[in-house]
Amino acid sequence: MTDLEKKSGAVEVPLEFWFDLSSNYSYLSLMRVEDLARGRGIDIQWRPFLLGPVFASLGWNNSPFVVQKAKGAYVKRDMERQCAKYSLPWSWPSEFPRRTLLPMRVAVYGQDQPWLADFCKRIMLLNFAEDQEIDSPEVVGDVLCSMGLPASDIIDASQNEAFKQALRIQTQQAQEKGIFGAPMFVVHRELFWGNDRLEDAINYCAEVKSQ
Amino acid sequence: MTDLEKKSGAVEVPLEFWFDLSSNYSYLSLMRVEDLARGRGIDIQWRPFLLGPVFASLGWNNSPFVVQKAKGAYVKRDMERQCAKYSLPWSWPSEFPRRTLLPMRVAVYGQDQPWLADFCKRIMLLNFAEDQEIDSPEVVGDVLCSMGLPASDIIDASQNEAFKQALRIQTQQAQEKGIFGAPMFVVHRELFWGNDRLEDAINYCAEVKSQ
């Protein structure tokens, strides 16, 4: 932060939470981040981005958990253990990674809306707990409807070129920030990678706020 | 374990600790594992293996922290924070990853000896705290001498074809177990990857022992 910001005492230090709805480790954080942040008075900035182009830039045509067989086998077991630890429901998706373009566009459309967290949790649970396809207007519409939201309006708006482009731009911004995987937490230009660093990111955020 | 083993009550469940002396995250675990294991009455089986052939099998001609630039930049910062958290000395090596073939052969030669842990810690500290080259007979000899060990005898023995071969075989065994990175902890066929899983591995080990 600048000296001016420091002196003004008006610094807000949010936790930027960068995630992809098809990312299993993002699931762990997305289900936990609100409780952790709320307890410390930390604001979350939700930043959905596409892992696909990030992986492509590394020469991978798919998730490393698909490309690297041994790591993929490990991650399946690791997720079972992690979800047991956090008391989260879990089932390895029969299609992995799932196509998530539509719910990702809805997430970008609503990233500053109060319903965003709940929407993402519901989509994540369909993917990672109920093993359901999540990229159709029907499924996304049902989720939005069940939240009492104008489903058709939101889906139509999120399919506008402006929001397609917004998701592409946000993905480019992720890469410009040095983001190479998900989840990633960014606090005041400091990067924290993976669900295993969520608590460290929260602690750092609280520390910077208190300075 | 088998039912017979369970009934006999004589089951020993060691923590297999798979590491490479050139691996920075192995450093974090190597400096911590003894204290954590001792407090729970857990035996450690030290299993040095070479990451190089593992990376080569993934199509990488070097560490992912070199091949993948953004991840490499992140890891440098992450290591600073992690070492601060664990109160460990730290300096990113000016050569990374360092050549470690000689100390790795000595580690395989001594992997069941009481001096092994201390030897590995000293080599790790030279590499990751003092930024020193560690692959020469002089440096390895000095370390062994300072521990009161017959340095020349150990170095000569570790350079025998038998121990060169032992390191190759142990590296193959790692891959056969599904090991794709370091550090890796193996408890009764369950794999735990990375320093972030050390506590989970210890807890699992204690749990299996108590059954």
Side-chain angles (χ1 to χ4, degrees):
Chain A
M1 71 195 78
T2 65
D3 285 347
L4 185 65
E5 283 175 317
K6 275 187 186 167
K7 280 177 192 156
S8 76
V11 184
E12 275 305 317
V13 186
L15 179 80
E16 290 176 28
F17 173 35
W18 293 77
F19 63 96
D20 183 319
L21 291 167
S22 70
S23 149
N24 54 289
Y25 287 112
S26 294
Y27 166 65
L28 297 181
S29 291
L30 205 143
M31 302 302 286
R32 304 195 307 123
V33 65
E34 285 178 296
D35 284 349
L36 291 171
R38 195 180 296 121
R40 307 288 284 272
I42 290 167
D43 289 330
I44 304 168
Q45 288 187 344
W46 302 78
R47 292 293 176 265
F49 76 107
L50 296 172
L51 275 174
V54 176
F55 292 153
S57 74
L58 294 166
W60 305 333
N61 64 359
N62 207 327
S63 161
F65 307 155
V66 175
V67 176
Q68 301 167 33
K69 301 297 178 199
K71 185 178 282 184
Y74 171 80
V75 165
K76 286 189 181 179
R77 184 73 191 106
D78 190 52
M79 284 300 300
E80 291 174 358
R81 290 190 309 232
Q82 294 290 300
C83 287
K85 185 160 77 175
Y86 297 125
S87 300
L88 290 172
W90 175 252
S91 165
W92 188 263
S94 52
E95 182 193 349
F96 180 87
R98 277 224 157 81
R99 282 185 59 87
T100 56
L101 202 54
L102 178 58
M104 286 295 283
R105 285 176 181 156
V106 171
V108 167
Y109 169 84
Q111 72 179 16
D112 299 320
Q113 299 296 320
W115 51 262
L116 191 272
D118 189 26
F119 171 75
C120 290
K121 280 185 183 174
R122 288 170 188 241
I123 291 289
M124 282 290 209
L125 285 168
L126 287 177
N127 187 6
F128 291 116
E130 298 183 31
D131 192 19
Q132 284 188 39
E133 186 272 326
I134 50 175
D135 199 34
S136 71
E138 293 72 26
V139 171
V140 173
D142 282 351
V143 168
L144 292 167
C145 275
S146 69
M147 295 168 63
L149 294 167
S152 300
D153 294 351
I154 290 175
I155 290 175
D156 287 350
S158 74
Q159 296 281 55
N160 278 347
E161 187 53 39
F163 288 103
K164 291 183 179 176
Q165 182 66 2
L167 181 55
R168 284 193 288 266
I169 289 173
Q170 194 141 284
T171 299
Q172 284 168 12
Q173 287 174 336
Q175 290 177 287
E176 285 160 14
K177 278 175 184 267
I179 290 174
F180 54 88
M184 187 76 79
F185 308 97
V186 184
V187 182
H188 195 250
R189 290 191 291 278
E190 196 88 6
L191 271 61
F192 297 84
W193 178 42
N195 178 65
D196 294 323
R197 291 286 177 278
L198 173 52
E199 279 80 359
D200 284 355
I202 293 277
N203 289 338
Y204 180 72
C205 204
E207 193 185 306
V208 175
K209 269 171 75 84
S210 68
Q211 280 171 1
Chain B
M1 71 194 80
T2 64
D3 284 348
L4 186 62
E5 283 173 317
K6 274 187 186 168
K7 280 178 192 159
S8 75
V11 184
E12 276 305 317
V13 186
L15 179 79
E16 291 176 28
F17 173 35
W18 294 76
F19 64 97
D20 183 317
L21 290 168
S22 71
S23 150
N24 54 289
Y25 286 112
S26 294
Y27 166 64
L28 297 180
S29 292
L30 205 142
M31 302 301 287
R32 305 195 306 123
V33 65
E34 285 178 295
D35 284 350
L36 290 171
R38 195 182 296 121
R40 308 287 284 272
I42 290 167
D43 290 330
I44 304 168
Q45 288 186 345
W46 302 79
R47 292 292 176 264
F49 76 106
L50 296 172
L51 275 173
V54 175
F55 292 153
S57 74
L58 294 166
W60 305 334
N61 63 0
N62 206 328
S63 160
F65 307 155
V66 175
V67 175
Q68 300 168 33
K69 302 297 178 198
K71 186 179 280 184
Y74 172 80
V75 165
K76 286 188 181 181
R77 185 71 191 107
D78 189 51
M79 284 301 299
E80 292 173 358
R81 290 189 310 232
Q82 294 291 299
C83 287
K85 185 160 77 175
Y86 297 126
S87 301
L88 290 172
W90 175 252
S91 165
W92 187 264
S94 52
E95 183 193 347
F96 180 87
R98 276 222 158 82
R99 281 185 59 87
T100 56
L101 201 54
L102 177 57
M104 287 293 285
R105 283 175 182 157
V106 171
V108 167
Y109 170 83
Q111 71 178 18
D112 298 321
Q113 299 297 318
W115 50 262
L116 191 271
D118 189 24
F119 171 76
C120 290
K121 281 185 183 174
R122 288 170 187 242
I123 291 289
M124 283 289 210
L125 286 168
L126 288 177
N127 187 6
F128 291 115
E130 299 183 31
D131 192 19
Q132 283 188 40
E133 185 274 324
I134 50 175
D135 199 34
S136 71
E138 292 74 25
V139 171
V140 173
D142 282 352
V143 168
L144 292 167
C145 275
S146 68
M147 296 168 61
L149 295 167
S152 302
D153 294 352
I154 291 175
I155 290 174
D156 287 351
S158 74
Q159 297 280 57
N160 279 346
E161 188 52 41
F163 288 102
K164 292 182 179 178
Q165 182 65 4
L167 180 55
R168 285 192 288 266
I169 289 173
Q170 194 140 285
T171 300
Q172 285 169 10
Q173 286 174 335
Q175 291 178 286
E176 285 161 12
K177 278 175 183 269
I179 290 174
F180 55 88
M184 188 76 78
F185 308 97
V186 184
V187 182
H188 195 250
R189 288 191 292 277
E190 196 89 6
L191 271 61
F192 296 83
W193 179 42
N195 178 66
D196 294 325
R197 292 285 178 278
L198 172 52
E199 280 80 359
D200 284 356
I202 292 276
N203 288 339
Y204 181 72
C205 203
E207 192 186 304
V208 175
K209 269 172 76 84
S210 68
Q211 279 171 0

